[in-house]
Amino acid sequence: MQQAELIERIKDLKKKRNAVILSHYYSRPEVQDIADFVGDSLALSQEAVRQTADVIVFCGVHFMGESAAILSPEKTVLLPEIDASCPMADMAGLESLRKEKEKHPGVPVVCYVNSSAAVKAESYICCTSANAVEVVNSLDAEEVIFVPDKNLAAYVASRTDKKIIPWEGHCPTHHQILREDVLKMKEEHPEAKFIAHPECRPEVLELADRVASTRGMIMYAKESEAREFIVGTECGLIHGLLKEAPEKTFYCITPYACCPSMKMVNLEKVLASLEKMQHVVTVPEDIRIRAKEALDRMLAVKINR
Ligand code: 13P
Ligand code: SF4
């Protein structure tokens, strides 16, 4: 089927099902272009709550669809690709987290939204890359257990007085961005600002002009006087950057900065998802209620965006 026909059929079915399409910035460009809303993890969670549609087609990885299903149980949340999971989320298991909590009695767990519903349910509060520092600082505790991203944990630790107990997890896509990649790109583009996602290694973040969530990086590029930017995150973000700042130039830090899971969703799968109402995200009710408490606590924390 031609792309134009695919898009028409998706639009027709969206009306018929009273559905909306939400997409993360790392999705394929053509998928972002048919979405009703494109955002970072925080904005996508907020949008899932705000939406009045009956059906949400979530173009992203599993934990993102799961968060929407946790926050909006009255809606049907569909994942066009059931195998699109986040490897970092899979690095924190429930049993290991329980053991870690036993080692640190009374210490609250802050869990990055890139985690399973069961891990969220076992945590006190969630955070995203957009609000991690504010979430940690909002807690009435001297120390916190931070799961699953050790790089985001290190970034937060550099911006808080609280003691951060990190977890041995990381995002393979961001972790393979190396300091030498940044130095090479800076040499090639000496005028460019380096913008980076906090899932990158500390030695990479040290070189950044701005560390922010995907949405935060777009806002910075739009508002900055600079004309060129080296993009230290999954290179799918360049589509969103060019849409909002078309007069500027963006350089992908390395061709290796690609998240295979985020690229699994294409237009054919979005159409199949609406046609067959697949794959419905479900979360057992006892887990959903406790995971929602952790997400709701996060959504109540005020941040400047
Ligand atoms: P954001 O919350 O910044 O969009 O990041 C999500 C993510 O998965 C980064 O790898
Ligand atoms: Fe997970 Fe990394 Fe992909 Fe984000 S970019 S979804 S953290 S693997």
Side-chain angles (χ1 to χ4, degrees):
M1 203 185 299
Q2 295 293 313
Q3 183 153 313
E5 193 187 342
L6 268 171
I7 293 171
E8 275 320 299
R9 289 183 62 174
I10 290 170
K11 282 185 181 162
D12 285 350
L13 265 175
K14 230 172 51 166
K15 263 193 215 135
K16 194 171 145 206
R17 305 271 195 221
N18 188 23
V20 284
I21 300 177
L22 306 188
S23 168
H24 189 268
Y25 290 116
Y26 297 161
S27 295
R28 292 172 185 239
E30 65 274 20
V31 171
Q32 293 187 46
D33 290 345
I34 45 119
D36 298 283
F37 182 86
V38 184
D40 63 10
S41 306
L42 179 60
L44 286 165
S45 298
Q46 291 164 328
E47 192 59 26
V49 177
R50 237 187 329 260
Q51 280 296 335
T52 52
D54 296 321
V55 176
I56 294 177
V57 180
F58 214 113
C59 302
V61 288
H62 191 264
F63 78 81
M64 296 180 173
E66 209 173 47
S67 295
I70 290 166
L71 289 166
S72 304
E74 70 291 353
K75 294 165 198 151
T76 302
V77 179
L78 303 176
L79 277 178
E81 169 57 66
I82 196 64
D83 289 332
S85 67
C86 167
M88 170 159 61
D90 298 339
M91 290 176 195
L94 181 58
E95 284 316 311
S96 334
L97 178 56
R98 285 186 173 149
K99 282 192 190 130
E100 190 67 13
K101 283 171 75 174
E102 275 167 26
K103 279 198 242 160
H104 307 281
V107 176
V109 177
V110 177
C111 114
Y112 192 26
V113 283
N114 298 42
S115 54
S116 67
V119 164
K120 288 184 176 75
E122 196 65 25
S123 302
Y124 176 71
I125 190 167
C126 292
C127 73
T128 75
S129 61
N131 62 13
V133 175
E134 288 89 343
V135 163
V136 166
N137 283 336
S138 75
L139 298 177
D140 185 16
E142 292 298 304
E143 51 181 348
V144 302
I145 299 169
F146 193 99
V147 289
D149 186 9
K150 65 176 176 184
N151 290 336
L152 182 61
Y155 173 70
V156 173
S158 71
R159 280 170 166 63
T160 183
D161 292 334
K162 297 188 195 296
K163 182 180 170 209
I164 306 291
I165 302 165
W167 190 266
E168 249 324 298
H170 64 271
C171 159
T173 300
H174 287 84
H175 208 55
Q176 63 189 348
I177 298 173
L178 303 179
R179 192 176 165 90
E180 68 204 53
D181 297 323
V182 186
L183 294 174
K184 184 171 159 278
M185 288 300 274
K186 276 178 169 266
E187 211 177 294
E188 284 171 25
H189 308 285
E191 298 301 314
K193 296 277 184 203
F194 174 48
I195 52 179
H197 195 278
E199 285 175 20
C200 293
R201 295 162 181 266
E203 64 268 28
V204 166
L205 296 184
E206 252 174 41
L207 300 171
D209 295 291
R210 175 77 180 172
V211 177
S213 75
T214 50
R215 179 69 202 156
M217 290 163 88
I218 292 179
M219 293 310 292
Y220 175 78
K222 265 175 89 165
E223 287 160 12
S224 165
E225 306 252 291
R227 315 296 303 163
E228 297 171 67
F229 301 84
I230 300 161
V231 181
T233 191
E234 213 277 353
C235 288
L237 186 68
I238 291 181
H239 186 65
L241 284 160
L242 282 171
K243 266 184 146 171
E244 298 204 34
E247 72 289 5
K248 301 194 175 178
T249 305
F250 300 98
Y251 306 109
C252 176
I253 182 82
T254 153
Y256 302 122
C258 174
C259 174
S261 298
M262 284 284 187
K263 300 296 184 265
M264 282 184 186
V265 177
N266 61 11
L267 291 179
E268 282 83 359
K269 289 180 193 175
V270 174
L271 179 61
S273 153
L274 280 162
E275 274 171 351
K276 299 179 193 160
M277 290 296 283
Q278 69 183 20
H279 304 272
V280 179
V281 183
T282 54
V283 182
E285 191 58 8
D286 56 326
I287 293 177
R288 190 192 71 77
I289 288 170
R290 289 187 295 129
K292 185 171 184 297
E293 283 171 10
L295 281 166
D296 283 341
R297 285 191 188 105
M298 168 187 89
L299 293 172
V301 175
K302 295 272 168 295
I303 58 157
N304 292 326
R305 276 173 61 111

